[in-house]
Amino acid sequence: MERYYLSLERREKLGLALLLVAMLLLFLGLVKLQVFDHAKLAAQSESNRIRVVPIVPSRGVVLDREGRVIIDSRPSYSVSVIPAEEVAEVTVSRLAELIGVDTLQIRKRIRKNTVSRYQPAIVKRDISFEVVAVLEEQSARYPGIAYQVERVRKYTDQLAAESFTGYVGEVSENELKRKDGANLRLGSMIGKKGLEKHYDHLLRGVEGTEYIEVAASGQIIGRYEGRDLVPPVPGADLKLSIDIDIQQACVNALDTFCCGAIVAMDPRNGEVLAMTSFPGYDANIFSSVIPPDLWEEIRSDSTHPLLNRPLDGQYPPASTVKFVAVGAALEEKLIGRNTTLKPCYGAFQFGVRSFRCWNPAGHGKIDAAEALEVSCDVFLYQLGLKLDVDLLSKYYGLCGFGRATGVDLPGESPGLNPNSEYYDTRYGKNKWTRGLVLNTSIGQGEVLATPLQLAQFFCGLANDGMVYRPHFVRSVIGPDGVERATSPAVAFKLPFSPSTMEILWEGLRRVVEGEHGTARSLKNDLYTIGGKTGTAQNPHGENHSWFVGVAPLERPEIVVCVIVENAGHGSDVAAPLVGQVIKRYMNKKLGRQELVIDKSVGEI
Amino acid sequence: MLNYGDLDWKLIGAALALSLIGVVLIMSAQHYETATYQQTFYQRQLIWLVIALAVFAVVAHLPLRGFDLSAYLLYGGAVVMLVLVLLIGSTRMGAMRWFSFGPINLAPSDIAKIALVLALSRFMAYTKLPVSSKRRLGLSTLLMLIPVMLILKQPDLGTSLVFFVILFVLWFWSGLSPWYMLLIISPLFSLIAASQTVAWIVYLIVLLIFLSWLRPGMMFGVLTVVANLAFGIIMPFLWGRMAEYQKLRILTFVDPSLDPRGAGYQIIQSKIAIGSGGFLGKGLTAGSQTRLEFLPERHTDFIFSVLGEEFGLIGGAIVLILFGFIFYRAIRIAAKCRSRFASHVVMGAAGILFFQFFVNIGMTLGFMPVTGLALPFLSYGGTSLVLCWTLVGFMVLADYHWQEY
């Protein structure tokens, strides 16, 4: 039994020894944490209590050339779910009922926007006051749901300006991964299209930081005194070259048509005075979260409201570019000022094919300027054959076709300027004939241009061959209040000598002023207008109607390019619209009252 | 009545110092609470301290023999209370542990701890059975298991462990060899080792070698081996029947990162609090971990973390020394007491305090599981404080009457 029994003395000693060991163990545990791990744990404790909260700066305002608001921000409410406080089966379903978004969508949004379990994840932006009132009064019914005031982009109504304003939206994962993503967080608003995107870095400003102390429960204790708040730098304001009056004239002009575009520019510096794309969409819908069915509706609309027609719409420029072939032939000395080619009898025979002039009656014997005035196709066919494919293509290129203008907007298309190399790839070597040049000489066939390119080209014609790069921003007003003007940049010079320019100018003038001009309806006593009509053949339906107008001819200040899709002859449809826009400009310039009283009645 | 000068004032002073430190820490821990009633927790603790001291005074004035005679009666009463709390007790945090008398929540398990100490001491002090006899070991185990079964039904893992500890401390103090005790608890080791087959086989070999050296007798040896095999085999079954939070506690004990928002989170935050305190601490009410609510249960289970953060190594060492002194005195008193009963009661009392002290501080330092055991004297809680002071009362009483048989 000895082995199983311990004497009292040994028990006491063993007890005391065990006690000593236990105490030493605890003391060493304390020493390890408080002496050896102290630095590391102290740092952890410091970061534990401070949360860095970004302060979103106010986004810059966008103004027209006279300081009138085009894009502003307005306060709005957004509703969020705090994941940590979410009550299963209750929070999401009740919220869905309240804001009319289905639960699946809400869950997706929470997952996407969750930064931390304790930070609100935005579910819907721009909720109505009624919803806020319900959340306020019945907060117990909606556990884990919070709402915040934030500023939402407001695009001025009735300007149809989304083709250049673009819109903002929540930053996507790809955008977050980009290099400058450091300034962005989940849920940040970022420019997605148009000026909002191109000048996002200026408009967005710099986020500030606030250091707040928080409890482990996520509860905010208050401001952390240890570090000063870094104030946000508000975004810069942009002053555009856009004139809201001209913009409205453009909108009124296109109002009754389905699809089309207008670009108005100042040829003296490349400033865009107005630009619109029809049909458009309401840029405001992107400021809040766009409902999926509305998005689907816009996306699948057969009239393509999301297509930015002035920049991205590529059309055959048709007769509007006849200046290129005429100019090239004059420049290459293939014809002279008074050269009359084979007379036009309404068609031109090339090989076995007959190429028709738009006027079946024919134009007879005409010279270069008159060919432009009456827009004779037969004259141009002959020039095309004289120039051949590559020389014509070279001149198109020198006039800015086939490449983007470099406007300060994203998403611009280059158009298409085909040459023999292009045809070789497209049809195969020797599988095409130079007959193609007949089409390209009158701006048909493979040639494609955007309305902006065409406007830019006419700016060159109107500005003695000097072509400025189109641009929207006249000046940037920094957060310091200092306004910095942007300087217009010369893009290129038209490849035409003064004598050639003179003939082209004569043609341009006679389109309106001439006895047989295709747009003589625009002629008036108050100011002179020049321009060029175009009727783009459209294999899918009615022809597209073009007109590019220039005014006043003595010292051109405005170029207006209009395309109306599927509308017929340029002289019938597009020309009067250009006339309306120019009239608004000239009236404003001359200080005249607009005579339009009611659009439905018509002009007096 | 009593000759007050002969009381163990050093022991009383240490316990009182710890209690007052607790009040100060509770005040600091709740200083920045938004709810004003929580800011007054330290005042309530102060009132409880007064009550606890009164209970202590009563205990110290009672005759030693009174406990001796009423031990089994008290034990029976405690068991009845445990049954009652299961039937009519109020539920809190998923467990039924309290009787509610208005603002006072009485935990019968605290009373049961005292009752078990008294009953086991009574049994071991007077039984004529040899220390390693099967009847003696079996009967004492039965005394312990009855309240434990009732408490496990509540369920409260941490508290039931205290009952096992009481039994083991008293076995040890009644003279049972630690080797023998090791053999008795060996099925538990088997339980742990069985989580890995190789470890379990190695363990069983070690056990057989140990048995052949100790030679505890044929029947005991066979029983031990059978129990070891049985525990090892039923382990997976037992695991499946555990409550999720108990499983999680055991798992996060091994790897706190398994539950970074739950038990693991508490341990991580506690370590940060204590470690960031450094040598001198951040000062009273200046602990950011505490003040910013990173520390959960900071006025109860994690009060030692508040101490570590705000008073550093110095504060921690002082508290350790005070506790160490109490345990040292307890062992000395138990060793000199002529009454076997009193000697056992003192060791049982010290065992309860020591186990809770060691597991709680070990938990805040990150090497013990989160069991929900409060730190004696310091943690907020009225019945816990009264229990601690009752136990101190036993020690002081036994010391005063040490010469009595």
Side-chain angles (χ1 to χ4, degrees), chain A residues 1 3-8 10-12 14-16 18-19 22-23 25-27 29-35 37-39 41-42 44-46 48-50 117-118 213-217 219 221, chain B residues 131-132 172-178 180 213-216 261 265 269 271-272 274-276 278 282 288-289 291-294 304 308 312-313 316 320 324 327-328 331-332 335 354 357-358 365 367:
Chain A
M1 277 296 143
R3 197 182 296 196
Y4 315 130
Y5 189 77
L6 220 56
S7 71
L8 182 64
R10 288 180 67 188
R11 271 180 260 156
E12 190 188 354
L14 186 59
L16 288 173
L18 283 174
L19 177 64
M23 295 314 264
L25 204 64
L26 292 181
F27 183 72
L30 215 51
V31 168
K32 180 183 180 291
L33 289 183
Q34 297 191 311
V35 177
D37 295 345
H38 172 64
L41 293 171
Q44 275 184 30
S45 128
E46 194 70 13
N48 230 349
R49 54 198 273 221
I50 298 155
R117 281 173 47 72
Y118 299 93
E213 283 190 286
V214 283
S217 59
Q219 201 187 345
I221 306 285
Chain B
V131 284
S132 60
F172 167 70
W173 200 244
S174 64
L176 188 64
S177 156
Y180 214 94
W213 170 75
L214 195 64
R215 293 188 182 282
R261 282 269 157 213
Y265 172 82
Q269 294 300 339
K271 284 168 81 171
I272 291 174
I274 294 172
S276 64
K282 298 175 183 173
S288 60
Q289 288 285 108
R291 154 156 117 86
L292 300 176
E293 299 175 25
F294 280 104
F304 189 78
L313 188 61
L320 287 186
F327 301 134
Y328 166 77
I331 293 173
R332 295 305 298 272
F354 177 79
F357 153 81
F358 188 79
L365 294 176
F367 63 83

Side-chain angles (χ1 to χ4, degrees), chain A residues 258-300:
Chain A
C258 154
C259 311
I262 301 183
V263 178
M265 283 176 68
D266 187 335
R268 294 167 297 180
N269 46 29
E271 287 178 355
V272 181
L273 299 171
M275 183 165 114
T276 190
S277 180
F278 266 59
Y281 53 86
D282 183 2
N284 287 303
I285 60 174
F286 293 95
S287 297
S288 54
V289 174
I290 181 164
D293 47 341
L294 179 57
W295 173 244
E296 197 45 47
E297 193 188 313
I298 293 172
R299 241 167 46 103
S300 59

Side-chain angles (χ1 to χ4, degrees), chain A residues 166-389:
Chain A
Y167 53 83
V168 293
E170 275 179 32
V171 66
S172 71
E173 275 174 48
N174 282 337
E175 285 163 332
L176 273 176
K177 278 181 206 149
R178 269 180 0 207
K179 233 178 167 180
D180 64 340
N183 268 324
L184 296 166
R185 289 169 298 105
L186 273 178
S188 287
M189 296 303 270
I190 183 175
K192 294 281 189 182
K193 283 235 156 60
L195 294 168
E196 292 275 27
K197 182 178 184 182
H198 195 84
Y199 290 101
D200 189 58
H201 59 291
L202 294 176
L203 290 167
R204 198 167 67 222
V206 183
E207 267 186 0
T209 7
E210 194 177 6
Y211 299 93
I212 57 170
E213 283 190 286
V214 283
S217 59
Q219 201 187 345
I220 291 164
I221 306 285
R223 267 205 60 212
Y224 171 60
E225 269 94 30
R227 280 177 84 169
D228 287 332
L229 172 145
V230 180
V233 181
D237 296 342
L238 301 181
K239 211 168 189 180
L240 305 184
S241 53
I242 295 289
D243 184 327
I244 281 184
D245 295 324
I246 312 298
Q247 181 73 20
Q248 266 157 353
C250 293
V251 176
N252 290 341
L254 267 183
D255 206 30
T256 53
F257 298 95
C258 154
C259 311
I262 301 183
V263 178
M265 283 176 68
D266 187 335
R268 294 167 297 180
N269 46 29
E271 287 178 355
V272 181
L273 299 171
M275 183 165 114
T276 190
S277 180
F278 266 59
Y281 53 86
D282 183 2
N284 287 303
I285 60 174
F286 293 95
S287 297
S288 54
V289 174
I290 181 164
D293 47 341
L294 179 57
W295 173 244
E296 197 45 47
E297 193 188 313
I298 293 172
R299 241 167 46 103
S300 59
D301 192 328
S302 61
T303 60
H304 307 297
L306 290 176
L307 174 64
N308 195 350
R309 287 176 165 78
L311 254 68
D312 199 15
Q314 303 186 86
Y315 306 93
S319 306
T320 55
V321 290
K322 281 177 176 165
F323 294 97
V324 177
V326 172
L330 287 165
E331 209 55 38
E332 297 292 325
K333 306 276 189 286
L334 299 171
I335 55 167
R337 175 185 287 268
N338 301 313
T339 307
T340 57
L341 300 169
K342 287 183 200 156
C344 168
Y345 299 117
F348 177 76
Q349 197 68 30
F350 177 75
V352 293
R353 269 191 69 189
S354 172
F355 286 77
R356 287 184 297 131
C357 183
W358 70 270
N359 184 355
H363 295 107
K365 234 172 135 177
I366 49 174
D367 63 9
E370 200 177 352
L372 290 170
E373 176 188 343
V374 298
S375 198
C376 178
D377 291 335
V378 170
F379 190 88
L380 266 291
Y381 292 145
Q382 298 176 65
L383 294 186
L385 288 174
K386 283 178 188 297
L387 288 161
D388 216 335
V389 172

Side-chain angles (χ1 to χ4, degrees), chain B residues 72 75 116 119-121 123-124 127 129 131 133-147 163-164 166-168 170-171 174 176 184:
Chain B
Y72 288 143
Y75 177 80
L116 182 67
L120 279 177
S121 301
F123 173 72
M124 290 183 186
T127 182
L129 296 162
V131 284
S133 85
K134 284 160 213 83
R135 264 190 78 187
R136 183 184 161 129
L137 292 174
L139 281 171
S140 51
T141 307
L142 190 70
L143 272 177
M144 183 271 296
L145 278 180
I146 291 168
F163 289 80
F164 280 93
I166 294 170
L167 179 67
F168 271 74
L170 293 182
W171 270 349
S174 64
L176 188 64
I184 292 168

Side-chain angles (χ1 to χ4, degrees), chain A residues 522-541:
Chain A
L522 293 183
K523 190 175 173 186
N524 66 78
D525 302 333
L526 297 168
Y527 46 83
T528 49
I529 302 183
K532 185 74 196 77
T533 52
T535 306
Q537 285 161 28
N538 175 15
H540 307 296

